[in-house]
Amino acid sequence: MNVVIAGGGVIGLATAWRAQQRGLSVTVVDPAPASKASHVSAGMLPPGNEQLYDQPKLLALYLASRDLYPSFAAELEEFAPSGYRRDGVLDAAFDYDALHTLDHQFAFQEDLGIAVEKVTAEDVARLQPAFAPALGGLLSPDDGAVDPRVLTASLQTALKKLGGTVLRERVVRVDGHTVILGDGSAVPFDRLVLAAGCWTHHIEGLPKGAIPEIRPVKGQILRLHSDPPLLNLTARALSKGSSLYLVPRLDGELVIGATYEERGYDEVVTAAGTGQLLARAADVLPGVGNLRFAEMSASLRPGSPDDLPVIGPTNVPDVFLASGHFRMGVQLSPVTAEAMAGYLTDTAVPNPAVPFSPLRFG
Ligand SMILES: Cc1cc2nc3c(=O)[nH]c(=O)nc-3n(C[C@H](O)[C@H](O)[C@H](O)COP(=O)(O)OP(=O)(O)OC[C@H]3O[C@@H](n4cnc5c(N)ncnc54)[C@H](O)[C@@H]3O)c2cc1C
């Protein structure tokens, strides 16, 4: 069966790899694969976040993806490095409100059976000597991060090695069982997956309402560099009512994120965004100003009407949707890919993915 996937971000590429593995013949169509949200993402894979506390269905989906990550990464590593690290996440509290928040998080993780230990201020200083003095924290030894740039490059390598194709073009329109590309050419499909992030609903030719609007939520993110790396562990620094994530890579890169801005399709890096992230980082990492500036970037998180992922068949025969992953697309890529491969091959779909059908929007 011939499958076309419109959009080669982490969601489209992970789906493509899994579908090709299941014997389908997959073509990913994207003018610039892995260049948007998936390119700028920090790839933080935290042990949970406040979004999950009162969202049992999202929590189940998240936990399923978390369970799948190690084998997903290991299988991918048969082709190329996955960029996955599972060497712990440190949550550090820099004020008493934050300490209280972490008490809540500790109870939440313990209830779910996610390994977690409370650590003292001295432990935080030992684990991350570069941090300003903290009041205490949590260490989640089985969590970590993935480098989305490495991950998406490897997904493309793996897809091509299995016989799949990546076509550098834009999908403009769907016309029956054919997609029309930016250069005017037509590519036929048996099944089509729309996975173009917050551009998904711009693809024309489908009945009104078949695809929910996927709104863009801007995020700006900073990359610095030091040799040796300034931080030892993936971390979240909690202070002044918010949390800043700090993701060190083994090559010395330190990713600091991120802003949340509802500004439509605006991908401009601003001085204010840069200043905000640097100021928040300086509060918890006194040495941050000495690091080499590497990159400041911005992209758009795909947000569905209810801010939850949209995964599965639409009401148009043979047209499927995998989008709306908002703040968690990198985390949710293994379970999304598994679910989409199930839908595309008419085989079992992981139960936690079922409530995220596009048909919930009517
Ligand atoms: C600053 C920032 C930090 C983030 N940090 C994290 C994090 O730490 N952990 C986490 O899990 N998530 C994080 N996210 C969220 C995550 O990046 C997204 O949820 C995820 O990348 C969405 O993947 P996607 O493939 O759906 O979309 P995208 O990565 O946006 O990919 C969409 C693709 O579609 C292509 N496209 C667009 N229009 C067309 C068309 N007409 N035809 C063909 N192709 C088209 C684009 O070129 C692009 O390659 C972050 C996001 C941002 C912005």
Side-chain angles (χ1 to χ4, degrees):
M1 190 194 301
N2 161 23
V3 172
V4 168
I5 300 184
V10 71
I11 296 297
L13 290 170
T15 297
W17 175 50
R18 283 303 195 208
Q20 185 77 30
Q21 268 184 330
R22 301 265 192 109
L24 304 181
S25 174
V26 179
T27 302
V28 173
V29 184
D30 190 317
S35 63
K36 294 295 190 178
S38 306
H39 182 70
V40 311
S41 169
M44 177 91 186
L45 306 174
N49 64 44
E50 67 292 346
Q51 254 193 318
L52 302 171
Y53 289 172
D54 55 359
Q55 297 262 21
K57 290 177 185 165
L58 182 61
L59 176 62
L61 188 71
Y62 160 78
L63 290 174
S65 210
R66 182 177 176 275
D67 287 349
L68 286 172
Y69 237 110
S71 59
F72 177 84
E75 274 183 67
L76 192 56
E77 275 162 19
E78 289 170 20
F79 298 90
S82 69
Y84 176 58
R85 281 178 79 171
R86 195 187 186 208
D87 52 0
V89 172
L90 177 70
D91 286 295
F94 290 88
D95 57 35
Y96 285 99
D97 283 348
L99 213 48
H100 181 68
T101 301
L102 289 188
D103 281 342
H104 189 50
Q105 188 184 317
F106 179 77
F108 174 73
Q109 283 185 228
E110 272 214 316
D111 275 359
L112 296 175
I114 297 179
V116 57
E117 58 185 276
K118 285 193 176 181
V119 294
T120 62
E122 292 72 32
D123 293 329
V124 174
R126 182 177 46 79
L127 290 163
Q128 303 276 40
F131 268 179
L135 300 180
L138 299 181
L139 181 63
S140 306
D142 294 340
D143 290 272
V146 65
D147 184 337
R149 295 177 180 183
V150 175
L151 181 72
T152 50
S154 300
L155 286 167
Q156 291 183 70
T157 302
L159 174 67
K160 289 176 192 165
K161 279 196 181 154
L162 292 177
T165 307
V166 178
L167 208 57
R168 288 185 169 257
E169 256 304 340
R170 191 166 71 88
V171 173
V172 176
R173 176 170 99 251
V174 183
D175 185 359
H177 275 71
T178 303
V179 285
I180 310 300
L181 309 189
D183 63 0
S185 60
V187 179
F189 63 82
D190 297 312
R191 290 190 158 171
L192 170 68
V193 178
L194 302 178
C198 63
W199 296 272
T200 301
H201 62 291
H202 293 179
I203 294 172
E204 297 165 14
L206 294 166
K208 196 169 161 35
I211 307 295
E213 183 176 339
I214 306 292
R215 82 181 190 288
V217 182
K218 181 177 176 180
Q220 299 191 56
I221 191 162
L222 175 63
R223 283 171 162 81
L224 303 175
H225 201 277
S226 68
D227 189 13
L230 188 66
L231 293 185
N232 304 320
L233 285 178
T234 302
R236 285 182 297 195
L238 285 75
S239 68
K240 300 178 183 166
S242 69
S243 138
L244 185 74
Y245 50 77
L246 302 148
V247 185
R249 312 268 187 233
L250 295 174
D251 67 357
E253 183 178 77
L254 176 63
V255 187
I256 301 176
T259 68
Y260 289 89
E261 304 165 63
E262 300 265 0
R263 301 176 58 89
Y265 288 89
D266 166 9
E267 295 172 87
V268 173
V269 169
T270 64
T274 313
Q276 181 192 327
L277 291 179
L278 269 176
R280 289 173 64 196
D283 278 349
V284 295
L285 268 183
V288 76
N290 296 324
L291 301 195
R292 179 167 65 78
F293 178 86
E295 181 186 317
M296 182 72 192
S297 43
S299 195
L300 304 170
R301 304 173 182 90
S304 76
D306 58 10
D307 284 345
L308 298 173
V310 194
I311 305 166
T314 68
N315 58 16
V316 180
D318 298 324
V319 177
F320 297 74
L321 195 55
S323 188
H325 290 76
F326 199 34
R327 296 165 60 176
M328 299 176 73
V330 180
Q331 290 177 63
L332 295 177
S333 50
V335 73
T336 301
E338 202 64 39
M340 289 309 301
Y343 283 122
L344 291 168
T345 53
D346 296 313
T347 56
V349 168
N351 275 334
V354 173
F356 296 93
S357 159
L359 302 176
R360 71 181 186 273
F361 295 113

